[in-house]
Amino acid sequence: MGEDSAMTSHGGHMGNISLPSLSVTRTLADLNFNTTTTKSIFITGLAVLAFFVTTSNYSRKTTKNEDDNEDDSNPSSLKSLLLFCYSCFIKPHATAGTTGTQQDALESFYGSQADIYDATRGTLLKGREDMLALVASQLRYKVEAGLGGLGGAGDGLEKRQRNGKTCGTVTGTGTGTRRKPIWVDVGGGTGWNIEAMAKFVDISEFFKTVYLVDFSPSLCEVARKRFARLGWENVRVICTDARRFRLEDYEDIDEGESGSGPSSPSLSSWWGETKPGRHAGAELITMSYSLSMMPDYFSIIDSLESLLAPHGLIAVVDFYAQSKVDFTFRNYTGGLVNRHVGYFRRNFWRSWFDADRVSLEPARRDYLEYRFGTVLTVNARNSTLGAIPYYIWLGCLKKPFSTSSLPHEIVEHIDAIATESPRSSPRLVGKHSSSATNALAFAVGRTAPEMRSKAFNTAIENISANLPLPSFFYQNHHWRIYYDDQLPKHTQFNDEYIYAFTWEDSRVDRELLNLGPDDVVLAITSAGDNILSYLMQSPARVHAIDLNPAQNHLLELKVASFTALDYPDVWKIFGEGKHPDFRSLLISKLSPHLSGRAFQYWLSNAHIFTNPTGRGLYDTGGSRYAIRFFRWISTLFFCRSAVRRLLSTPTLEGQRSIYHTKIRPCLLNRFVNGLVLSSDAFLWSALGVPKNQVAMIEADYHRRSISSTTPSKEKPSRAEAILHYTTSTLDPVLSTSHLASDNPYYLVCLLGQYTRQCHPDYLSPAAHSILSAPGAFDGLRIHTDEIQEVLARFQPGTLTVAVVMDSMDWFDPPSPEEEKEGRGKAREQVRRLNRALKVGGKVLLRSAGVEPWYVRVFVEEGFGARRVGCRESGRGDQECIDRVNMYASCWILEKIKDLEELVDSA
């Protein structure tokens, strides 16, 4: 089935196709399939027929201009198809035992079809170009950053400049002091991978040397002809068993600097830094559909570890079939999106491929992930041929190489990667930790006692068990902090974000907070727009926190886009919400700047941006239901044209007129409100309003009714309270804020995208210049956790600003017993905010209540309270606290006293 074969299987023809060469009758008898599996075979047979048709069409296209008098070395499409079918399904294949050697067994299968190999594998071997694009992107990043002695300034590589930083494709002569990378394609077969890589980098200029290692003389001969035709003198074809290939036989290797295996726990081997101009191994190793065909895969994978440079990258694309039982509790696999294969499909594909000596059992991929650290993974299906599961995996050397010695420099580097703050203080040792873990943690604590974080605990546990670190530790950036994606508190969101854009007014936040270079900010992520706004003000650090992993995936995508893309691409993705080339940009430019889980998420959801019939980013997430509801209501009441006029009118007076005469009667009436707006399902699913917040809205409305000049004798209903709250939200906005020119929050709801005239601050060209500058995100840490969990890991007095949005509204008011004893979840969070904040530090929050009950808790726990915005100011109901006006009040709580001072005074 594979791209090639670096070593043969024990008999058979190495499974170089997805179809068994045995007869169907014999196969069914041997496998003893049940009825369900037999049906699957029939379905897959149809898929195979489609494969033949597709292959035939592909071959016909590639040969339609050929001369009719072609020789046997360049067969026609029909002849290629017939030869393929004969070699794979009819021809008996000799084994090593009957013809002498494993290499002879390979030739028995490949010899007659080497010339038509590439023409008949395009449909079957999916994912190869994606894998090459991913590794090319990673290599370009390393070269441009000068990591591991590669590329960098002064090496003669030409780099495209943008905003003062290097980016884009790397070409040039490489004549300077830094070296070019070496690539070893293990089981490279006909050399298809290497030629395909030319779409992404200049092979002859980017690489010092490329080695194709394969054990089939026929395939190697095809590869030699290919590279002679291409004129690539730096590509060498080595016909040998991959286990016997040693780079030092062909390259000048400095043994003292190699450090490419577990026996070299030096600092240079940890970070992959070697002397300029000297090679310590291959910077890139690839395996394309060959690992599943290697019977002795343990020795192959072990040999790759010694072949890879300390800073190098290894990439594999291959078939697989695996159950979630195998990997659910592993924290180092880089994410589990789409990895599970169902019971029947899993067993069917394993049995089917096994007939051709292609092994899909999980041990191969598991051992690969155990021996190396995971950088990125992709789990996909070949939909053309019966949804065959395949994966793409990018990895690096498992670091550190030794648990017996952790130099202070290595400890400091782990600290920079693992800890949420340079001054955070979680517990190192838990009650469930093993003695080995405790011993290692104690040793590290003596070396660097400031290292305390949940992520660091996980790293220590993995190191003590000789496991790779979680994939977050192998990323190129340290923005995203490790989290366990299998915890129920994260899986409850079903891989969907609620907000595609942030509902807090960044302009008001900027005026209220006035951030400076010494500020350390903690803020809820939401859609990340506010986080980018804070980063534009260049504080010392910004901690973004959200319990929903998908919300943080969205922030990561925005950060990666500013890091890697030009302004026009950033605008298309986040301004228009659609980009036809998003998937290509994700793989070729954004992937080096994303964590493994965020990359998998957006690869699985690339259709959001690329679907030509879709509405784009801003019609996604839980909040899309509110947007779609308005679109449905406006259509039902025939006022879509009024919405278009509302967004095109140049004056505020014209906007008011259209809203009050056409739109408001349709949207804000008792029928629509009672049927939809005030329902629990709509409030929670579409607007994200929890029950406690609804209770605050009802309580405020009840208070207003009692204090009015004509109080009602009956308690107002929820529908009445919600209708009044909605009216108090929208009426002032439409009367005082011109949507088309100065209110992007409502514009995007109505239009589905932003405009060049009206958009959030972070989407301006000036903002792009700031956020795309080198080091713009060095102070960013993205936490996937509860606020109180992160706060508990800050050393007292390190935080200056906390922006908690309306999260305090979600807490239950304390019971009388909790109130008496000074307990409650809200009070506990307020105390943690007090501990983390320095004296004078501020908490900014918004609330659905005019006088939230928890403000009193802040005052009791050492804060001074100041309401800086309120819709009920005594001047009527036409007050806006900001351009969103979604909340009834906005507050600044300033820390006045430490908790210890409160205890002493008591």
Side-chain angles (χ1 to χ4, degrees):
M1 290 265 316
E3 179 75 15
D4 62 84
S5 183
M7 59 174 292
T8 64
S9 64
H10 301 301
H13 53 73
M14 284 299 301
N16 273 266
I17 58 167
S18 63
L19 310 173
S21 58
L22 306 177
S23 68
V24 173
T25 302
R26 178 180 173 185
T27 301
L28 291 176
D30 290 344
L31 298 177
N32 191 26
F33 280 167
N34 56 28
T35 303
T36 303
T37 308
T38 305
K39 291 180 180 178
S40 297
I41 292 178
F42 176 73
I43 294 173
T44 306
L46 296 179
V48 170
L49 179 61
F51 166 59
F52 287 153
V53 174
T54 304
T55 302
S56 178
N57 290 335
Y58 173 79
S59 300
R60 188 179 297 111
K61 290 178 182 179
T62 58
T63 59
K64 62 182 180 180
N65 294 324
E66 294 176 1
D67 184 25
D68 293 337
N69 298 321
E70 55 199 6
D71 56 33
D72 292 337
S73 64
N74 189 23
S76 66
S77 59
L78 177 60
K79 186 180 294 185
S80 298
L81 182 59
L82 293 175
L83 182 58
F84 172 80
C85 296
Y86 170 74
S87 300
C88 296
F89 309 119
I90 302 174
K91 177 185 176 183
H93 301 292
T95 65
T98 59
T99 57
T101 66
Q102 291 182 336
Q103 193 173 56
D104 292 336
L106 275 179
E107 283 304 285
S108 174
F109 179 70
Y110 283 117
S112 60
Q113 58 168 321
D115 292 328
I116 56 97
Y117 183 91
D118 291 333
T120 56
R121 263 58 175 192
T123 304
L124 177 64
L125 307 181
K126 293 293 186 181
R128 293 181 294 175
E129 287 199 23
D130 284 348
M131 183 262 287
L132 294 172
L134 285 170
V135 298
S137 183
Q138 292 280 343
L139 284 177
R140 282 199 302 267
Y141 171 79
K142 291 178 182 292
V143 168
E144 291 164 4
L147 299 177
L150 293 176
D155 65 343
L157 295 178
E158 299 171 5
K159 301 180 182 70
R160 184 167 54 90
Q161 297 287 328
R162 175 170 62 82
N163 298 320
K165 64 179 181 179
T166 59
C167 61
T169 304
V170 178
T171 59
T173 60
T175 58
T177 59
R178 293 182 181 269
R179 64 177 181 274
K180 297 180 182 180
I182 292 176
W183 175 17
V184 179
D185 191 19
V186 178
T190 63
W192 185 94
N193 276 353
I194 298 174
E195 183 173 2
M197 178 68 95
K199 297 179 181 178
F200 311 110
V201 297
D202 187 331
I203 299 294
S204 61
E205 298 294 341
F206 186 84
F207 292 103
K208 178 180 183 293
T209 316
V210 179
Y211 294 93
L212 185 154
V213 181
D214 199 277
F215 207 21
S216 168
S218 296
L219 296 182
C220 287
E221 184 59 29
V222 173
R224 290 189 181 96
K225 293 179 181 178
R226 180 193 299 270
F227 301 135
R229 169 177 57 83
L230 295 170
W232 292 343
E233 297 182 357
N234 62 330
V235 180
R236 303 184 61 178
V237 179
I238 310 297
C239 189
T240 186
D241 189 325
R243 295 172 297 183
R244 297 186 177 90
F245 178 77
R246 297 291 181 271
L247 197 59
E248 55 265 29
D249 295 337
Y250 306 94
E251 292 287 336
D252 181 17
I253 301 295
D254 187 338
E255 297 294 341
E257 293 290 334
S258 64
S260 56
S263 60
S264 305
S266 65
L267 188 60
S268 63
S269 65
W270 227 93
W271 310 126
E273 297 295 337
T274 57
K275 292 180 179 179
R278 308 295 293 180
H279 286 285
E283 281 73 29
L284 174 62
I285 298 175
T286 55
M287 298 179 71
S288 175
Y289 288 97
S290 56
L291 182 62
S292 59
M293 305 181 342
M294 298 175 175
D296 188 15
Y297 63 90
F298 290 104
S299 62
I300 290 288
I301 293 175
D302 288 346
S303 69
L304 297 181
E305 185 181 32
S306 61
L307 186 64
L308 189 65
H311 52 274
L313 188 70
I314 179 171
V316 177
V317 56
D318 214 327
F319 302 111
Y320 84 102
Q322 195 167 19
S323 168
K324 61 184 177 183
V325 176
D326 299 327
F327 53 77
T328 297
F329 299 104
R330 298 177 191 164
N331 63 14
Y332 54 86
T333 55
L336 309 178
V337 175
N338 206 32
R339 180 159 177 167
H340 174 73
V341 180
Y343 176 81
F344 291 107
R345 287 181 180 272
R346 184 171 68 248
N347 286 283
F348 169 69
W349 286 121
R350 284 181 185 173
S351 301
W352 182 276
F353 279 76
D354 186 63
D356 264 353
R357 302 295 194 268
V358 178
S359 180
L360 271 63
E361 92 283 357
R364 295 169 189 265
R365 186 176 181 182
D366 290 345
Y367 190 62
L368 188 70
E369 290 176 326
Y370 165 72
R371 293 296 292 176
F372 296 91
T374 297
V375 176
L376 290 177
T377 59
V378 176
N379 305 297
R381 305 291 184 266
N382 185 340
S383 57
T384 305
L385 293 177
I388 303 174
Y390 70 92
Y391 70 95
I392 302 172
W393 176 87
L394 272 65
C396 60
L397 288 176
K398 182 169 64 177
K399 307 166 185 177
F401 301 122
S402 172
T403 60
S404 60
S405 175
L406 288 175
H408 183 68
E409 293 85 354
I410 294 179
V411 172
E412 288 181 345
H413 190 77
I414 294 179
D415 180 36
I417 297 176
T419 58
E420 287 86 343
S421 164
R423 296 157 293 196
S424 56
S425 57
R427 297 166 297 281
L428 268 175
V429 182
K431 62 181 179 180
H432 300 295
S433 302
S434 65
S435 58
T437 302
N438 292 346
L440 181 57
F442 179 72
V444 172
R446 287 186 304 169
T447 307
E450 74 280 2
M451 290 186 129
R452 301 178 182 121
S453 78
K454 184 183 294 185
F456 181 71
N457 288 345
T458 304
I460 292 298
E461 291 174 3
N462 283 30
I463 292 172
S464 64
N466 197 30
L467 295 172
L469 296 173
S471 63
F472 290 98
F473 292 83
Y474 301 112
Q475 308 304 317
N476 294 318
H477 305 284
H478 307 147
W479 303 321
R480 191 72 178 263
I481 302 300
Y482 167 78
Y483 70 98
D484 185 351
D485 61 351
Q486 296 302 294
L487 296 178
K489 66 182 181 181
H490 301 312
T491 58
Q492 65 174 315
F493 298 100
N494 297 318
D495 286 331
E496 182 182 47
Y497 46 84
I498 298 175
Y499 305 107
F501 55 94
T502 301
W503 274 100
E504 271 64 32
D505 191 337
S506 60
R507 180 189 298 170
V508 172
D509 283 7
R510 182 171 60 251
E511 294 171 354
L512 292 174
L513 297 176
N514 191 27
L515 299 178
D518 297 326
D519 281 309
V520 178
V521 183
L522 178 146
I524 295 175
T525 301
S526 186
D529 304 359
N530 54 333
I531 303 298
L532 297 177
S533 177
Y534 302 147
L535 288 166
M536 287 169 58
Q537 301 170 60
S538 302
R541 179 156 299 196
V542 175
H543 295 275
I545 304 173
D546 210 294
L547 191 59
N548 186 342
Q551 296 288 172
N552 283 334
H553 295 335
L554 181 55
L555 173 58
E556 262 201 86
L557 180 66
K558 292 178 178 179
V559 171
S561 296
F562 277 101
T563 303
L565 302 181
D566 294 322
Y567 178 70
D569 288 324
V570 173
W571 172 257
K572 282 186 178 180
I573 295 174
F574 300 111
E576 300 174 9
K578 299 182 71 173
H579 197 308
D581 298 324
F582 175 78
R583 190 179 189 277
S584 175
L585 290 174
L586 179 67
I587 292 175
S588 63
K589 291 188 177 182
L590 299 178
S591 58
H593 309 288
L594 290 168
S595 66
R597 290 169 186 169
F599 172 76
Q600 291 176 76
Y601 181 85
W602 290 113
L603 189 67
S604 299
N605 291 280
H607 62 275
I608 290 174
F609 302 97
T610 59
N611 185 358
T613 62
R615 294 182 179 272
L617 174 65
Y618 300 112
D619 193 54
T620 63
S623 59
R624 72 184 181 276
Y625 297 112
I627 297 173
R628 292 178 181 179
F629 165 74
F630 174 77
R631 194 161 58 234
W632 177 75
I633 287 294
S634 62
T635 302
L636 181 66
F637 287 94
F638 304 102
C639 60
R640 291 300 298 168
S641 60
V643 174
R644 289 191 289 270
R645 293 202 309 273
L646 182 79
L647 296 179
S648 61
T649 182
T651 65
L652 187 59
E653 184 59 37
Q655 175 181 285
R656 291 194 197 104
S657 175
I658 295 171
Y659 169 70
H660 284 283
T661 60
K662 299 293 184 181
I663 297 176
R664 191 180 190 278
C666 299
L667 182 64
L668 301 180
N669 60 69
R670 294 186 180 276
F671 172 75
V672 173
N673 177 71
L675 185 64
V676 180
L677 288 180
S678 60
S679 68
D680 287 334
F682 184 82
L683 288 171
W684 172 246
S685 300
L687 300 178
V689 180
K691 61 180 181 64
N692 288 337
Q693 207 164 44
V694 174
M696 296 176 72
I697 294 173
E698 291 185 77
D700 276 347
Y701 185 67
H702 181 56
R703 174 184 54 79
R704 284 175 56 90
S705 299
I706 294 175
S707 62
S708 66
T709 56
T710 57
S712 174
K713 296 181 180 180
E714 298 181 0
K715 183 177 179 180
S717 66
R718 167 185 289 189
E720 291 176 316
I722 296 299
L723 180 60
H724 176 268
Y725 192 90
T726 306
T727 303
S728 299
T729 297
L730 297 179
D731 283 358
V733 169
L734 272 296
S735 297
T736 62
S737 174
H738 189 237
L739 304 192
S741 63
D742 194 41
N743 199 319
Y745 306 98
Y746 288 94
L747 174 73
V748 74
C749 292
L750 299 177
L751 193 61
Q753 65 179 70
Y754 299 110
T755 65
R756 297 284 185 174
Q757 184 183 9
C758 185
H759 51 71
D761 293 343
Y762 80 93
L763 284 177
S764 68
H768 184 270
S769 297
I770 296 172
L771 295 174
S772 63
F777 299 107
D778 286 352
L780 175 63
R781 294 293 182 270
I782 304 174
H783 309 267
T784 309
D785 216 333
E786 297 101 331
I787 295 177
Q788 55 266 32
E789 282 292 322
V790 178
L791 286 172
R793 299 175 184 276
F794 281 100
Q795 187 175 350
T798 60
L799 201 62
T800 63
V801 174
V803 184
V804 297
M805 296 185 176
D806 64 329
S807 63
M808 297 298 298
D809 282 3
W810 294 47
F811 287 107
D812 292 321
S815 65
E817 182 181 352
E818 289 176 329
E819 187 73 24
K820 181 179 179 181
E821 298 176 359
R823 295 187 293 110
K825 292 184 178 179
R827 188 175 295 272
E828 177 59 29
Q829 180 154 306
V830 172
R831 287 172 176 170
R832 290 186 177 182
L833 282 166
N834 186 298
R835 289 191 185 97
L837 286 163
K838 72 174 186 178
V839 174
K842 296 176 289 187
V843 177
L844 171 63
L845 64 84
R846 291 176 171 90
S847 174
V850 176
E851 293 280 353
W853 59 268
Y854 49 77
V855 170
R856 173 178 50 82
V857 177
F858 273 96
V859 174
E860 293 172 356
E861 298 297 337
F863 288 87
R866 179 166 55 99
R867 189 167 63 183
V868 293
C870 180
R871 295 202 310 214
E872 298 181 15
S873 63
R875 295 191 298 271
D877 290 334
Q878 295 300 308
E879 279 296 301
C880 283
I881 66 170
D882 52 37
R883 289 177 293 174
V884 179
N885 202 37
M886 189 64 67
Y887 302 102
S889 62
C890 180
W891 297 78
I892 292 286
L893 295 310
E894 183 175 343
K895 178 179 173 179
I896 300 173
K897 294 182 179 180
D898 288 317
L899 293 175
E900 292 76 8
E901 294 183 59
L902 294 174
V903 174
D904 293 340
S905 61

